[in-house]
Amino acid sequence: MIGVFDSGFGGLTILQKLRHTLPQYDYLYLGDNARAPYGSRSFETIYRYTLQSVRELFHRGCPLVILACNTASAKALRSIQQQVLPVEFPDRRVLGIVRPTAEEIGNFSKTGHIGIFATAGTVSSNSYVLEISHFFPNLKVTQHACPMWVPLVEYGERGTEGARFFVKKDVEQLLAADPEIDTVLLACTHYPLLEDEIRAALPPHVRLVVQGDIVADKTLDYLKRHVDMEKRLTKGGCVKYLTTDTAEFFKKGAFRFGMDDISAESLTF
């Protein structure tokens, strides 16, 4: 199985893209819904919560885990890869979604100016700015935190006047900071649920990039290059769900992400 972890429901947008591109594999999704959101939490807390979830997915038979959470990828991934895996799990792998996105984002821009919408935690970590600079050193990156966007999605406010107001305000602030931006990245897995509102607020010439497709393509490439790992993954086309909240809460939340009749197992750390 491929393990997919997110602090809440946003990782479901990544899971859907993975299943579309790599439908043959089995997946185990873990949403830490009881402790979401992660965006405003400390580094130490995010690291501890993420590591607990990674260990759980390893324990349940996932040799490969994808952190389908930008905040966890930005704040916990490197420490887990460098400090935990070599000692405790040398035959397991954990991948994030920041680096694969950073490897591609510069290819979408003609002006060399991109904007990033993200949580406060991702913005403060500067992970995207640092990673992008490795691949596109001349790219000008402007970040903007959108603290209201995740609650808008989580509480089912998509399509409302309130959602349009907050999205328009954030878009205007980002473009005011750099009017030459021609490409905008949604660096939070919840944000694709507000895609209609974001597109309506963006000028027609500004391209909107949703990272799910990039992550799925990069995962496919990774498995082609790491045949030993690929052979360890079960291939039944099935998906199971875990949540740190109640199964009923997860089912209702998943419905807002376009997933009907989801059955999840509730667990407690």
Side-chain angles (χ1 to χ4, degrees):
M1 286 185 292
I2 297 175
V4 180
F5 166 72
D6 184 42
S7 59
F9 295 107
L12 293 173
T13 63
I14 300 293
L15 176 64
Q16 289 169 327
K17 296 294 186 179
L18 286 168
R19 295 187 70 197
H20 176 78
T21 303
L22 301 135
Q24 68 271 37
Y25 299 104
D26 295 321
Y27 295 89
L28 180 59
Y29 182 91
L30 195 166
D32 191 8
N33 305 93
R35 301 185 293 196
Y38 280 13
S40 60
R41 294 188 182 274
S42 68
F43 170 88
E44 292 76 12
T45 299
I46 293 168
Y47 172 73
R48 186 172 77 255
Y49 288 177
T50 302
L51 183 56
Q52 284 180 328
S53 296
V54 167
R55 282 177 169 147
E56 182 68 25
L57 290 168
F58 283 166
H59 175 71
R60 290 174 179 258
C62 300
L64 174 66
V65 172
I66 297 172
L67 302 186
C69 172
N70 281 281
T71 303
S73 294
K75 292 197 169 187
L77 176 63
R78 187 155 298 177
S79 295
I80 291 173
Q81 288 177 330
Q82 295 178 354
Q83 299 172 20
V84 178
L85 296 188
V87 178
E88 296 184 33
F89 308 100
D91 62 336
R92 311 290 177 93
R93 294 294 179 265
V94 180
L95 305 178
I97 58 178
V98 173
R99 186 179 181 88
T101 306
E103 290 175 345
E104 298 293 330
I105 189 61
N107 297 323
F108 294 99
S109 176
K110 294 180 180 180
T111 65
H113 294 247
I114 71 162
I116 295 179
F117 288 124
T119 65
T122 299
V123 169
S124 65
S125 74
N126 272 324
S127 291
Y128 271 99
V129 175
L130 294 171
E131 289 287 351
I132 291 171
S133 68
H134 294 319
F135 305 103
F136 304 97
N138 296 321
L139 198 67
K140 179 175 172 54
V141 180
T142 303
Q143 301 184 98
H144 182 76
C146 307
M148 286 300 299
W149 289 18
V150 168
L152 287 171
V153 172
E154 293 276 355
Y155 292 103
E157 294 297 314
R158 288 188 297 154
T160 65
E161 189 61 36
R164 287 188 287 271
F165 170 81
F166 285 111
V167 168
K168 185 173 185 293
K169 180 180 178 181
D170 285 315
V171 168
E172 289 175 347
Q173 289 176 347
L174 174 68
L175 296 181
D178 182 3
E180 293 187 61
I181 288 172
D182 72 341
T183 302
V184 171
L185 170 68
L186 301 185
C188 172
T189 53
H190 278 71
Y191 295 177
L193 274 294
L194 295 170
E195 186 172 344
D196 289 344
E197 288 85 350
I198 297 167
R199 289 191 184 279
L202 285 172
H205 71 279
V206 177
R207 183 170 187 169
L208 184 64
V209 177
V210 180
Q211 64 187 148
D213 290 323
I214 296 175
V215 173
D217 289 342
K218 288 289 188 177
T219 303
L220 174 61
D221 179 66
Y222 175 86
L223 293 176
K224 286 180 178 178
R225 291 184 290 107
H226 296 82
V227 179
D228 290 345
M229 173 60 73
E230 196 280 333
K231 289 180 179 178
R232 296 169 62 191
L233 301 175
T234 57
K235 302 174 180 67
C238 298
V239 59
K240 296 181 180 179
Y241 301 90
L242 302 171
T243 177
T244 56
D245 209 299
T246 66
E248 185 62 27
F249 177 82
F250 189 85
K251 181 178 181 178
K252 290 179 180 179
F255 179 78
R256 296 194 184 104
F257 281 74
M259 304 180 74
D260 297 333
D261 198 25
I262 294 297
S263 177
E265 176 188 342
S266 181
L267 60 89
T268 303
F269 289 127

